[in-house]
């Protein structure tokens, strides 16, 4: 990584070889702040926390969407409760959603706020200029160098969030007379310890863009960026633990090693990306933009691994909590230790070393290691889009997308913690069948391989995904009527390649699986009726047939090539009805929407503590229904004072009891024929009801904002195994003859109120430079009891294994100083 | 262009600060625990101080400032030993019960540990010593609570245990070598041993423990060693052990030897404690293999409603197929079969049947006819219409739940080559005697069986007398006193008690044995002694005599030599304890005799059964 950094420094230097000046567009303080908040507190950087952001936030002109994306981020609000795989993210026209998970990882552009500010957002049913968008809408980040205003900008920020300091420097030449434009940006984000104890943050970002405008018709641009990052994570805990410690922000991931804090769950990522774009203005009415993107991503998350029947090292393991003990004296001792002994309630790294050294003396295998689970990728994507305006009424956009991804998944030894010996065996199978049994071998072709730091172990497989589609969408406008229409057709192919011959699946783990191909197609149609220019009604409908995600398509992807049986494409239908109004002092939108998902496939993997096995639970044929009402309006009280009201009441729930397949890592057999009884359960970890009021005031370069949000009807992620047929007893029939089961209901989290305020100042100096200052304070009332989500432990006994929760951060502030010159 | 410099500077700063890694905690130093103090009591002395408490299975708080020390010999490294540490010093071994998982991480084999005993409890579990704390055992049948020895909490252990030094391969105590059952001494209870030349009963057909998915638990497997047998105890959660198939042939097993109600049990620590075996990866070929862990499997219970009026049925109980003739306080008049599904033996290859069974509460006189192994080639669902052939098996005593292997019973020639062969177990329960019959497993497999020489004589002994039906060919001689040797066919043994009958001398003399054709002949029997008060009294009142010139009549007509009985019961109780093996001379006229000799007071009560010469 150091070598790469050296290269980056050089590249960064080159970027500013050519410089020029251009005038700045004035910014509003609000927009500035929005972007800061956007990328930091809200972006999904933790894979273990649900994706939270909607791509729609960049729709600046829509009050509802911009507020939802900006103010509701601490509660991880998702627009219409959609999973973020339905939001498409493009960078310079290249589609950058991860094809394995469907989601866009915002960490990829983390810290590069100034460089990635230029966005083009399109809501669900609107015709986009860069791609066929799915139900969640889409966003294109424009990074062509000629599109940046010339000049330099330095931003310095301080806050008490994941990191505490950030510095950014961006320089753009603008389009120079010689037809070249360059933009470079560097950023650094840092925290020795973030707001959560034991976390840290260390992230460098670089960004380089060059564009050559050859003539009126052709331009070529290249952009490359990356952000090597290392950061410590937090984990959710049970309420018992939070209460004992006296804080809802307790983090079990860290402990003392030789007197210093060390976090066991560290994300190390570096995902260098490059995009090459050719713009071709064929004629006045026809434009062609072709982009080719490549990304290599190295993404590892570390965790503790333990072997040899040693006790679970996690401090908040249920057997270490007072509630585990039955004897009053033991409870008292455990409570006292939890409340007053900080070392006791964190990891004991020194002990891990001592135990491993003991193992060394007996020539035995390590008892504790730190492993790093990798989800690496090599991605190539080509997007080509042509826009043609036929006449003043009709324009059409067509496109082609081709993508190929190799996802590389493996586990690697990050730290042996002083141990000398480590074998590539599965500890659960070794427990049942012995160290030397075939079934315990993770790689039969390298039996009992003795491994060292940096070696791959456990699992090692690639997922290949090839995708291609063509699409077109158009708009026909008349004075009172607009019609939008679009269609897409394509295909997705994927397969798995196993690189280890797993002892639990000797004949189906190594080599290539079958290749599956699924057709992708979609269509949409919308009508807009413009009563007047200030009163617009629109009705949109769409359907989509979507290939299942490669990530969800294997019953036990770490182990073998076996697909979920009867794998199906997911079907989605939906629509919305909008009324956009614009009175002299009030403007806004009211919308009702309905979306139905059919035949979704989901996979969960977890350690089943009841049977002491690593397990996979695959669900298929999941049907869901999302509906709701959205309201966003701005009242202009006096010229510089606005009141904004935003509200949504929505629902998003499972509509059936999907079929389930349970697979145990340490066994060769698969259990099928069961269902997960979750009919009526809600989509989790996003508030389904939100009501918000905001006041904005600006005067003479000052900006003030005060906003209050009330969140309700957030549901906890439910344990699937706890609702499995075998647990709920299968269907019975009640007196009315209806199927009835005794599945535990899903937990609804308590609603709550949060208030934020910000103050900003924008100063423009005579020499053309400008300074912006912004201080925002979130959760001013310091509400530390607002759960953003969490999950039930995937175990049958919900009393013994209590649910774990995440809390919205208490009062926190963000100060930003930007200087443009 | 000067901005170029700025950019360079910033980039450089960023790069430098990034490479200053955050994950920079140093490697911690090695921690060597040290205890500054001395032990003031040996494990042997500890057990002797609390001998009565231990043998009575009660418990007592230790109130003195005793400190013992020892090296760890057994922990939960595989999970076969669970929530327990075994430590031993030069004098003995001790079971320490601790309510904690993963003890092996901090108490590795060979770890020296000092234990301050004050405040802990010591007690007996199965008359074997255990250090721990009080445990309130609730009897759900009558909702009463009984205080017994149980686990101490993790925190309590942390307060009382002090590690000293580092565990090394060189600090792990060497196991005591045992070649023959007679070498086992009471003092070995809780110590690390290696038993040599061990083979497994039911080898090839059973795993070390049952499938854990039927529920957590510990299972017993019968080990055959020179001079006797031994029970192997295996947890269903034992890593790398529970699923091993019992190997054919002999090997050596290292483990902790413990006594449970006078029976010796062996518990291994990890899979490498089995040495010299070739573990097979597949269960041996078989037609039927049932372990009755959760269902009757291919068997079903069928009542003969013609031959009897009542109805009983075979059910699953404690991982055995079981039938119980005594129901709701009454003996039931019933004939009940445990019938297998139809077997296709048309391959015609030699086939045998083998199973482990125990029978209790049976009338010893009708033990065989009321507990039969049957085979038929024309069973079609009606037990009365089928023609059954009874096959000889080795039988359990009929008066205990001690399991005995049936032997490898040969399937007679006439059934080989048949397509519809059925095997069955038939219990006859009468209104006077309703036995309990438990069958732990059942195998029908291709292979050579063995001739069951004497159904009442297990394992082809030269001579066997269970005393289940009385004295058999033994004779008695009442020399002095009012007591005399008595038969107890109800419970299947012989007994004598001089209590209130003055000074006594009574002989129970074996028939003449011609041992001239055999080498290394050994005698073994089971005995229980009660009310003797002291070990010295047990030894002086209950003696074994051997003569090579006795013919008949009074013992004084011949020369008798006293033979040492290697193992006496360690305490007064009704529990039968193996005698250990006693060498008999290889000559043509051998008699042995049980000589009872009691004083006027404190007369012992002596019971004997299962006398085996082999």
């Amino acid at each position: 990584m150091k070598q790469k950094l050296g290269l980056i420094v050089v590249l960064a230097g080159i970027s500013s070889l050519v410089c020029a000046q251009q005038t700045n567009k004035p910014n509003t303080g609000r927009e500035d702040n929005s972007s800061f908040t956007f990328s930091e507190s809200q972006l999904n950087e933790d894979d273990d926390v649900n994706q939270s952001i909607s791509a729609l936030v960049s729709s600046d002109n829509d009050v509802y969407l911009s507020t939802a994306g900006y103010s509701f981020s601490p509660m991880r609000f998702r627009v219409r409760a959609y999973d973020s795989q339905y939001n498409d993210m493009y960078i310079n026209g290249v589609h950058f959603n991860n094809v394995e998970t469907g989601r866009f990882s915002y960490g990829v552009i983390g810290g590069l706020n100034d460089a990635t500010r230029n966005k083009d957002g399109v809501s669900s049913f609107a015709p986009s200029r860069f791609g066929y968008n799915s139900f969640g809408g889409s966003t294109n980040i424009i990074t062509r160098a000629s599109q940046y205003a010339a000049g330099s900008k330095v931003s310095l920020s301080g806050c008490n969030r994941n990191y505490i300091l950030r510095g950014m420097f961006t320089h753009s030449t603008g389009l120079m007379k010689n037809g070249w434009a360059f933009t470079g940006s560097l950023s650094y984000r840092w925290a020795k310890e973030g707001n959560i104890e034991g976390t840290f943050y260390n992230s460098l970002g670089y960004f380089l863009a060059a564009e050559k405008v050859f003539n009126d018709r052709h331009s070529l641009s290249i952009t490359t960026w990356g952000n090597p990052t290392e950061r410590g994570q937090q984990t959710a805990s049970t309420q018992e633990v939070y209460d004992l410690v006296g804080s809802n922000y307790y983090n079990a991931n860290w402990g003392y090693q030789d007197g210093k804090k060390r976090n066991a769950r560290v994300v190390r990522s570096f995902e260098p990306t490059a995009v090459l774009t050719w713009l071709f203005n064929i004629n006045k009415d026809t434009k062609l933009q072709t982009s080719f993107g490549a990304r290599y991503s190295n993404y590892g998350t570390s965790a503790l691994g333990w072997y040899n029947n040693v006790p679970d090292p996690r401090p908040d393991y249920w057997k270490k909590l007072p509630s585990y003990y039955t004897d009053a004296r033991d409870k008292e001792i455990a409570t006292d230790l939890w409340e007053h002994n900080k070392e006791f309630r964190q990891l004991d790294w020194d002990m891990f070393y001592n135990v491993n050294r003991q193992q060394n003396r007996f020539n035995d295998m390590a008892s504790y290691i730190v492993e790093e689970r990798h989800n690496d990728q090599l991605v190539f994507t080509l997007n080509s889009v042509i826009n043609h305006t036929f006449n003043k009424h009709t324009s059409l956009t067509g496109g082609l997308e081709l993508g190929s991804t190799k996802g590389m998944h493996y586990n690697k030894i990050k730290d042996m913690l002083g141990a000398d010996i480590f074998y590539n065996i599965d500890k659960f199978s070794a427990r049942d069948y012995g160290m030397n049994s075939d079934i315990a071998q993770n790689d039969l072709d390298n039996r009992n391989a003795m491994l060292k730091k940096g070696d791959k172990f456990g699992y090692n497989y690639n997922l290949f995904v090839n995708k291609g589609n063509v699409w077109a969408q158009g708009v026909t406008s008349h004075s009172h009527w607009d019609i939008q229409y679009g269609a897409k057709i394509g295909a997705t192919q994927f397969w798995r390649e196993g690189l280890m011959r797993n002892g639990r699946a000797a004949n189906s783990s190594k080599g290539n699986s079958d290749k599956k191909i699924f057709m992708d197609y979609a269509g949409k149609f919308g009508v807009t009726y413009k009563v007047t220019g200030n009163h617009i009604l629109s009705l949109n409908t769409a359907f989509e047939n979507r290939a299942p995600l490669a990530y969800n398509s294997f019953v036990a992807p770490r182990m073998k090539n076996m697909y979920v049986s009867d794998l199906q494409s997911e079907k989605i239908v939906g629509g919305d009805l909008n009324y956009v109004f614009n009175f002299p002092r009030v403007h806004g939108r009211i919308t009702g929407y309905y979306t139905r998902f059919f035949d979704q496939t989901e996979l969960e993997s977890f350690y089943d503590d009841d049977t002491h096995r690593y397990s996979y639970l695959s669900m298929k044929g999941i049907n869901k229904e999302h509906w709701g009402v959205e309201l966003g309006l701005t009242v202009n009280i006096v010229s510089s004072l606005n009141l904004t009201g935003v509200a949504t009441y929505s629902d998003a729930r499972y509509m059936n009891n999907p079929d389930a397949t349970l697979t145990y890592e340490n066994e060769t057999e698969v259990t099928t024929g069961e269902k997960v009884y979750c009919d009526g359960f809600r989509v989790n970890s996003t508030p389904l009801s939100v009501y918000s009021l905001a006041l904005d005031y600006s005067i003479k370069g000052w900006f003030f904002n005060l906003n209050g949000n009330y969140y309700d009807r957030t549901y906890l992620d439910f344990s699937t195994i706890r609702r499995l047929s075998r647990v709920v007893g299968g269907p019975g029939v009640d007196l009315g003859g209806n199927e009835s089961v005794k599945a535990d209901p899903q937990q609804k989290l308590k609603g709550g109120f949060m208030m934020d305020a910000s103050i900003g100042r924008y100063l423009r100096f005579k020499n053309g430079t400008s300074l912006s200052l912004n201080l925002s304070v979130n959760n001013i009332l310091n509400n530390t009891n607002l759960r953003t989500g969490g999950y039930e432990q995937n175990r049958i006994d919900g009393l013994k294994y209590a649910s774990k929760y995440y809390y919205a951060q208490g009062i926190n502030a963000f100060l930003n100083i930007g200087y443009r010159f | 262009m000067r901005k170029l410099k700025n950019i360079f500077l910033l980039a450089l700063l960023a790069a430098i600060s990034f490479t200053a890694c955050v994950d920079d905690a140093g490697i911690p130093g090695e921690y060597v625990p040290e205890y500054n103090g001395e032990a003031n009591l040996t494990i042997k002395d500890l057990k002797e101080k609390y001998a009565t408490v231990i043998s009575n299975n009660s418990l007592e708080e230790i109130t003195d400032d005793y400190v013992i020390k020892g090296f760890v010999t057994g922990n939960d490294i595989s999970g076969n030993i669970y929530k327990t540490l075994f430590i031993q010093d030069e004098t003995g071994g001790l079971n320490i019960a601790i309510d904690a998982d993963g003890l092996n991480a901090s108490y590795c084999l060979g770890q020296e540990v000092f234990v301050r005993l004050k405040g802990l409890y010591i007690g007996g579990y199965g008359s074997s010593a255990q250090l721990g704390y009080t445990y309130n055992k609730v009897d759900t049948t009558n909702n009463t609570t009984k205080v017994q020895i149980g686990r101490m909490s993790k925190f309590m252990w942390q307060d009382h245990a002090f590690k000293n030094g580092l565990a090394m391969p060189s600090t792990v105590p060497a196991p005591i070598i045992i070649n023959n059952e007679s070498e086992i001494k009471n003092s070995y209870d809780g110590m690390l041993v290696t038993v040599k030349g061990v083979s497994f009963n039911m080898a090839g057909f059973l795993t070390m423990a049952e499938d854990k998915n039927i529920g957590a638990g510990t299972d017993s497997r019968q080990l055959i060693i020179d001079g006797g047998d031994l029970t192997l105890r295996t947890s269903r959660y034992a890593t790398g052990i529970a699923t091993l198939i019992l190997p054919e042939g002999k090997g050596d097993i290292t483990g902790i030897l413990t006594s449970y109600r006078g029976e010796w049990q062996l518990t291994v620590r990890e899979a490498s404690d089995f040495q010299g075996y070739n573990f097979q990866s597949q269960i041996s070929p078989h037609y039927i293999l049932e372990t009755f862990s959760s269902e009757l499997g291919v068997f079903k219970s069928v009542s003969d409603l013609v031959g009897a009026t009542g109805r009983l049925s075979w059910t699953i109980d404690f991982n055995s197929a079981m039938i119980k003739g005594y129901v709701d306080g009454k003996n039931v008049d019933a004939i009940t079969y445990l019938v297998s599904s139809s077997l296709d033996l048309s391959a015609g290859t030699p086939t045998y049947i083998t199973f482990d069974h125990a029978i209790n509460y049976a009338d010893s006189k009708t033990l065989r006819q009321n507990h039969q192994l049957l085979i038929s080639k024309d069973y079609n669902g009606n037990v009365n219409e089928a023609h059954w052939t009874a096959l000889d098996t080795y039988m359990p005593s009929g008066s205990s739940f001690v399991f005995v292997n049936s032997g490898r019973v040969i399937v007679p020639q006439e059934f080989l080559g048949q397509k519809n062969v059925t095997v069955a177990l038939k219990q006859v329960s009468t209104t006077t005697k309703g036995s309990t019959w438990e069958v732990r497993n059942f195998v029908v497999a291709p292979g050579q069986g063995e001739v069951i020489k004497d159904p009442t004589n297990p394992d082809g002994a030269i001579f066997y007398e269970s005393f289940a039906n009385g004295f058999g060919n033994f004779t008695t001689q009442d020399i002095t006193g009012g007591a005399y040797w008595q038969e107890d066919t109800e419970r299947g043994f012989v007994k004598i008690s001089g209590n209130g009958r003055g000074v006594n001398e009574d002989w129970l003399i074996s028939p003449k044995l011609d041992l001239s054709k055999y080498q290394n002949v050994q005698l073994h029997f089971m005995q229980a002694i009660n009310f003797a008060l002291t070990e010295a009294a047990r030894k002086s009142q209950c003696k074994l005599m051997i003569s090579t010139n006795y013919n008949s009549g009074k013992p004084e007509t011949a020369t008798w030599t006293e033979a040492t009985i290697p193992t006496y019961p360690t305490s007064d109780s009704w529990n039968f304890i193996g005698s250990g093996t006693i060498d008999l001379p290889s000559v043509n006229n051998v008699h042995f005799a049980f000589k009872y000799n009691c004083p006027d007071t404190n007369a012992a009560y002596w019971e004997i059964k299962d006398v085996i010469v082999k």
Side-chain angles (χ1 to χ4, degrees), chain A residues 486-648:
Chain A
K488 175 173 105 165
I489 187 157
T492 302
Q493 178 195 43
F494 53 78
W495 71 96
R496 176 188 183 276
E497 181 192 21
L499 300 172
M500 283 183 181
R501 188 177 304 283
N502 188 303
R504 274 81 68 206
N507 301 319
S508 59
S509 49
K510 197 166 183 175
N512 287 334
S513 69
D514 296 345
K515 293 176 181 172
K516 292 260 183 196
I517 295 184
F518 291 89
M519 292 297 290
D520 295 317
Y521 50 88
K524 61 172 92 174
F525 181 78
V527 183
T528 303
Y529 176 60
K530 291 169 273 190
V531 183
T532 69
N534 292 327
H535 297 273
I536 303 169
L537 286 167
S538 66
L539 175 67
N540 301 294
T541 58
F543 73 92
E544 187 174 351
N545 190 73
R546 215 175 150 92
L549 293 167
Y551 177 80
N552 289 331
S553 297
F554 294 88
V555 291
R558 288 181 178 185
M559 207 163 94
K560 56 186 171 186
N561 288 339
M562 186 178 167
Y563 284 101
V564 171
S565 62
D566 307 326
L567 200 56
Q568 293 185 70
S569 285
E570 173 179 345
K571 290 85 162 170
I572 316 167
V573 292
D576 66 10
L577 180 64
N578 305 283
Y579 169 48
V580 176
F581 48 90
N582 192 5
F583 296 100
R585 287 197 174 274
V586 181
H587 66 92
R589 166 172 72 85
I590 182 162
T591 294
Y593 68 89
Y594 181 90
T595 311
R596 183 89 187 229
F597 296 85
F598 299 93
D599 294 329
Q600 290 183 319
T601 306
E602 288 178 8
L603 174 72
E604 280 185 332
S605 55
F606 54 93
Y607 176 68
D608 179 356
D609 205 36
D610 293 309
T611 56
H612 306 269
R613 292 186 278 199
Y614 196 78
S615 314
Y616 301 90
L617 198 147
S618 167
M619 291 192 288
K620 62 172 184 180
I622 304 164
N623 296 344
K624 285 179 194 155
E625 180 185 81
H626 292 225
W627 61 263
V629 181
E630 297 167 343
L631 169 72
L633 60 86
T634 300
V635 183
N636 185 226
I637 300 168
V638 292
S639 68
S640 52
L641 179 65
N642 287 325
L643 176 70
T644 302
V646 163
T648 183

Side-chain angles (χ1 to χ4, degrees), chain B residues 33-39 67-68 114-116 161-165:
Chain B
E34 211 174 316
Y35 178 70
N36 297 310
E38 294 288 324
V67 179
I68 56 165
F114 287 76
V115 187
R116 290 188 187 156
F162 301 89
K163 294 200 276 188
N164 188 41

Side-chain angles (χ1 to χ4, degrees), chain B residues 35 39 94 99 192 202 281 391 418 441 444-445 449 479 508 546 611:
Chain B
Y35 178 70
L94 187 63
D99 193 5
L192 184 66
M202 300 298 284
S281 58
L391 303 177
Q418 296 293 321
N441 45 54
V444 180
I479 309 298
L508 177 63
I546 295 172
V611 178

Side-chain angles (χ1 to χ4, degrees), chain A residues 732-740:
Chain A
V733 176
D734 67 14
L735 290 175
N738 304 309
E739 206 178 68
S740 69

Side-chain angles (χ1 to χ4, degrees), chain A residues 17 319 329 357-358 431-432, chain B residues 1 28 101 108 239-240 243:
Chain A
L17 279 173
K319 286 187 178 178
R329 285 162 306 183
R357 287 176 179 135
Q358 182 174 280
R431 177 194 61 212
D432 291 348
Chain B
M1 278 304 143
D101 297 314
C108 163
T239 303
T243 56

Side-chain angles (χ1 to χ4, degrees), chain A residues 777-790:
Chain A
V777 182
N778 282 1
N779 198 356
I780 282 184
L781 303 176
N782 196 27
N783 182 352
T784 56
N785 292 313
L786 207 50
R787 291 169 172 168
T788 58

Side-chain angles (χ1 to χ4, degrees), chain A residues 127-200:
Chain A
S128 99
R129 293 160 291 279
F130 44 86
Y132 187 96
N133 46 331
S134 181
F135 280 76
S138 59
T139 302
N140 185 29
I141 298 173
I142 299 159
T143 63
R144 282 162 43 220
S146 65
Q147 301 300 300
Y148 292 83
S152 300
K153 187 182 176 192
V154 173
S155 301
L156 291 170
S157 317
C159 64
N160 60 334
R161 294 180 184 167
N162 292 347
Y163 58 83
I164 55 173
L165 286 175
R166 184 183 67 182
M168 290 194 292
F169 174 77
T170 305
H171 180 77
S172 298
T173 64
L175 183 59
M176 298 181 296
K177 285 183 182 136
N178 57 9
W180 282 94
F182 295 93
T183 296
S185 185
L186 264 181
S187 84
Y188 187 62
R189 291 172 292 164
W190 176 85
K192 183 169 167 56
E193 186 159 61
N195 66 302
I196 301 288
E197 192 169 15
T199 62
F200 65 88

